[in-house]
Amino acid sequence: MDQAVIEPALADAQQAGRFDLYAGVHKALRLYMTDTLARVGRADPADDDEVAGAIGQLRDLLELCDLHIEDENRFVLPALEARRPGVTERNAEEHVSHGQAISALRREAAIVERSGAGERPMALLALYRRLGLFVAENFEHMHYEETRLMPALWAEYPDEALTGIEAAIVASIPPMLMARALHWFLPALPHPERVGMLSGMRENAPPGAFAGALEIARERLTLRDWRRLAEALGLPSGDATVEAVAATVGGLRIAERW
Ligand SMILES: [Fe+2]
């Protein structure tokens, strides 16, 4: 990849503190992809539970990748095309090929699941390699979006319009997938952005969603990061925090709250 693709507008806009549609979600996806790749890579072919766990995480990742492509096609690319016809052509084509790659990964995962003890090591290695290529292509693709498409969006739209696009995306995401995404957003983002995300949820999300997000934060963050977050949100940082917040929303189970 040409490393000199970063447009001058990118640095200017970042300095001006413009709202970035891609940066946060792409950090979450990069973490989710690399964690899943490593998990598939270290799965012991002779250990059924490890293999099932790795393939389960892979299937969950692919479901979120499908959703991410759908969201971009539905909400982001049309906004760009409306102002700069043709600018999203490369991106739209790559979304089609990523969809095909996702299907191929699902087929290879099924081959691993069906394989006997003799074939499983090679089937697992083949899945790991294909996933590695998928991750590599996605890393380039996300870089292109962040450095070429985002500056075009900044040039064409004010931040109010961009936050409106993000709100429409968030509103369209099924609750269970939102909870899954949070598992990767929270450890992928820097502290101030975690605080911003959780504060926004406290203000705007459905009742109970904030408590569910806190449970995910406590599970996924280091103790130090969890304490910083709780403090910044004005919550007691002990283990009682999540239970206390959950009690205020009726003690519903997390899946029901989302
Ligand atoms: Fe994309």
Side-chain angles (χ1 to χ4, degrees):
M1 180 183 197
D2 177 6
Q3 296 296 318
V5 295
I6 299 174
E7 289 189 352
L10 180 67
D12 294 342
Q14 283 178 333
Q15 281 166 13
R18 295 290 311 270
F19 177 74
D20 193 321
L21 268 175
Y22 287 115
V25 65
H26 283 179
K27 278 188 179 178
L29 278 174
R30 286 181 178 102
L31 178 61
Y32 201 175
M33 287 177 179
T34 50
D35 186 273
T36 306
L37 179 66
R39 187 165 177 183
V40 171
R42 69 173 176 267
D44 175 357
D47 187 321
D48 288 347
D49 288 343
E50 268 189 27
V51 172
I55 288 184
Q57 181 168 325
L58 173 61
R59 290 192 192 284
D60 287 349
L61 165 69
L62 297 178
E63 191 178 9
L64 218 58
C65 289
D66 261 340
L67 177 70
H68 182 62
I69 291 171
E70 190 185 311
D71 286 342
E72 287 184 357
N73 286 346
R74 187 172 155 200
F75 296 104
V76 183
L77 301 192
L80 262 176
E81 275 298 312
R83 300 290 173 86
R84 296 194 184 183
V87 76
T88 68
E89 198 173 322
R90 164 181 164 170
N91 210 254
E93 284 172 9
E94 287 181 357
H95 284 172
V96 172
S97 72
H98 289 172
Q100 293 164 345
I102 287 169
S103 297
L105 282 163
R106 288 187 173 123
R107 285 196 297 274
E108 293 234 9
I111 289 171
V112 172
E113 288 171 325
R114 287 198 305 269
S115 64
E119 305 90 52
R120 181 162 283 186
M122 284 312 297
L124 203 51
L125 187 58
L127 176 65
Y128 172 75
R129 286 182 175 140
R130 187 182 286 274
L131 179 58
L133 289 178
F134 178 71
V135 172
E137 284 171 12
N138 270 275
F139 272 34
E140 290 205 358
H141 175 86
M142 289 189 282
H143 183 80
Y144 180 84
E145 290 175 333
E146 290 170 22
T147 59
R148 302 302 289 260
L149 298 191
M150 200 60 236
L153 283 162
W154 280 323
E156 300 292 345
Y157 291 99
D159 277 359
E160 296 72 41
L162 300 177
T163 54
I165 290 173
E166 188 189 60
I169 292 172
V170 169
S172 77
I173 297 174
M176 286 307 294
L177 289 183
M178 180 62 87
R180 190 184 302 164
L182 268 182
H183 272 84
W184 300 96
F185 264 103
L186 289 168
L189 295 180
H191 170 72
E193 291 174 34
R194 275 181 213 134
V195 175
M197 175 175 273
L198 272 287
S199 300
M201 291 186 70
R202 181 154 58 181
E203 295 279 308
N204 305 312
F210 177 62
L214 286 181
E215 283 185 37
I216 294 169
R218 188 180 59 167
E219 177 195 335
R220 297 287 289 154
L221 298 179
T222 63
L223 188 58
R224 178 178 180 273
D225 283 344
W226 159 247
R227 285 180 171 153
R228 284 176 83 196
L229 179 66
E231 187 180 341
L233 293 170
L235 303 167
S237 62
D239 277 358
T241 300
V242 171
E243 284 77 6
V245 175
T248 68
V249 295
L252 298 172
R253 286 158 47 98
I254 184 168
E256 293 166 342
R257 279 187 246 124
W258 281 92

